[in-house]
Amino acid sequence: MTIKCTNKVALIGTGFVGSSYAFALLNQGIAHELVMIDLNKEKADGDARDLNHGLAFASPMKISAGDYSDCSDADLVVITAGANQQPGETRLDLVEKNIKIFKNIVDSVMKSGFNGIFLVATNPVDILTYATWKFSGLPKERVIGSGTILDTARLRYLVGEHFDIDTRNIHAYIMGEHGDTEFPVWSHATIGASQLNELIDMKKETVQQELEDIFVNVRDAAYHIIERKGATYYGIAMGLARITRAIFNNENSILTVSALLEGEYDQENIFIGVPAIINREGIRKVVELPLNKKEKTQFTHSAETLKNVMKKAMESY
């Protein structure tokens, strides 16, 4: 793939997540150009106008509403469109509704001549990232899902809050499905330069309960937010902006995204949340952490859960 320096993003879906992501791009000066695409053309146009009115306070950026033809020269197409998760509904419950939507979106993008990188945020993100890969025919490294980047951020925040340490000095991962079967990789959690298990007695019953409570709050965070305000969007928008920055700046940063596994973690033909090196080409490499026995079992369970849903969802395609 020829590396260009335009840093053009085509955003498909200007709902809560999409518009929050666009706002994050503007505030952080990540992209040079942003085209906003939505079935509701008036909404996309209104968002573009509103964002443009903030350019006096931000870095130079071309912002407009457009259509799928504008994807032809985009470096990155970000998909946030689709049905939203309703109260009491799991992310996997959304699969049948959103896979039909994605077939039309991806086909329309590819017809434009697009040859960049896809970044998928719509839930269930792991399955829809797999579908995007299949529908687009692009190489695996150029199809990325937001995966567990938000779950990992939530874990870092809650661990930092628990120990009264800056979130940015907490290094820990959530892996697996972005959903109910995800799990924390406590064996690789660090606070600063110290392993978590060097700071606390991981075998102590009260500590185990504290860590389990932290993880449950991470896993169920979306449900709690949806109950209170109807949707989650600021956190995931910041996560998408972080991935975008890693791509455009060729950072080679390690982020927990949904990536295709081809033997890593003993799994094949599945997109799932794992640490991966992200640069201008997309996913440079999946980072294979040595998991302990419990974590291996949890990862296998999460992968099998996704495979069972994915197999049924993709039967018609």
Side-chain angles (χ1 to χ4, degrees), residues 42-293:
E42 291 292 306
K43 171 66 164 64
D45 184 60
D47 273 326
R49 290 169 184 258
D50 199 3
L51 289 165
N52 274 314
H53 296 164
L55 280 172
F57 315 114
S59 301
M61 185 175 173
K62 182 181 178 182
I63 306 170
S64 62
D67 55 37
Y68 287 116
S69 65
D70 292 298
C71 297
S72 61
D73 62 344
D75 300 280
L76 180 68
V77 166
V78 179
I79 308 178
T80 63
N84 294 323
Q85 187 177 352
Q86 300 299 316
E89 192 173 38
T90 71
R91 296 177 181 95
L92 292 182
D93 289 334
L94 297 172
V95 66
E96 290 184 15
K97 290 184 261 187
N98 280 333
I99 206 158
K100 293 176 183 177
I101 295 171
F102 263 60
K103 182 69 168 70
N104 179 62
I105 289 173
V106 176
D107 285 352
S108 298
V109 170
M110 296 310 295
K111 283 177 184 176
S112 76
F114 173 69
N115 194 35
I117 296 169
F118 272 109
L119 175 55
V120 178
T122 309
N123 283 317
V125 67
D126 303 293
I127 292 172
L128 292 177
T129 307
Y130 180 91
T132 300
W133 174 58
K134 283 293 187 181
F135 296 156
S136 69
L138 289 175
K140 61 180 173 59
E141 63 269 14
R142 286 200 270 146
V143 182
I144 307 170
S146 55
T148 51
I149 193 166
L150 175 57
D151 311 277
T152 292
R154 288 166 171 162
L155 180 67
R156 293 173 65 194
Y157 163 70
L158 288 173
V159 171
E161 185 180 51
H162 182 76
F163 291 101
D164 195 21
I165 298 290
D166 187 338
T167 298
R168 294 169 297 179
N169 295 125
I170 307 298
H171 304 286
Y173 298 116
I174 293 286
M175 288 176 56
E177 172 207 357
H178 174 51
D180 294 342
T181 64
E182 65 187 34
F183 64 96
V185 188
W186 293 121
S187 64
H188 290 277
T190 63
I191 298 178
S194 300
Q195 291 284 336
L196 184 62
N197 59 13
E198 293 175 356
L199 299 174
I200 60 176
D201 183 358
M202 299 285 278
K203 294 181 181 179
K204 194 173 179 181
E205 193 170 317
T206 55
V207 170
Q208 288 181 8
Q209 187 58 54
E210 288 171 357
L211 295 179
E212 178 62 20
D213 289 345
I214 288 172
F215 166 62
V216 168
N217 280 328
V218 169
R219 184 194 63 202
D220 296 345
Y223 300 128
H224 298 155
I225 294 170
I226 289 168
E227 285 173 3
R228 288 162 174 77
K229 57 178 271 188
T232 72
Y233 36 92
Y234 296 134
I236 186 58
M238 292 289 284
L240 292 171
R242 179 67 190 93
I243 296 169
T244 303
R245 190 166 75 246
I247 293 170
F248 284 169
N249 291 345
N250 197 34
E251 288 184 0
N252 290 298
S253 292
I254 297 175
L255 303 171
T256 45
V257 297
S258 189
L260 181 71
L261 300 188
E262 295 181 314
E264 299 93 344
Y265 298 101
D266 297 321
Q267 296 296 327
E268 297 269 359
N269 198 38
I270 184 174
F271 275 80
I272 193 169
V274 290
I277 302 171
I278 308 296
N279 64 16
R280 187 75 196 199
E281 301 295 331
I283 296 176
R284 191 186 101 190
K285 181 183 180 182
V286 169
V287 177
E288 194 165 5
L289 299 175
L291 303 179
N292 63 32
K293 185 176 179 180

Side-chain angles (χ1 to χ4, degrees), residues 6-10 31-35 70-71 73-76 248:
T6 55
N7 289 355
K8 177 180 177 179
V9 176
H32 298 145
E33 183 175 355
L34 171 65
V35 178
D70 292 298
C71 297
D73 62 344
D75 300 280
L76 180 68
F248 284 169

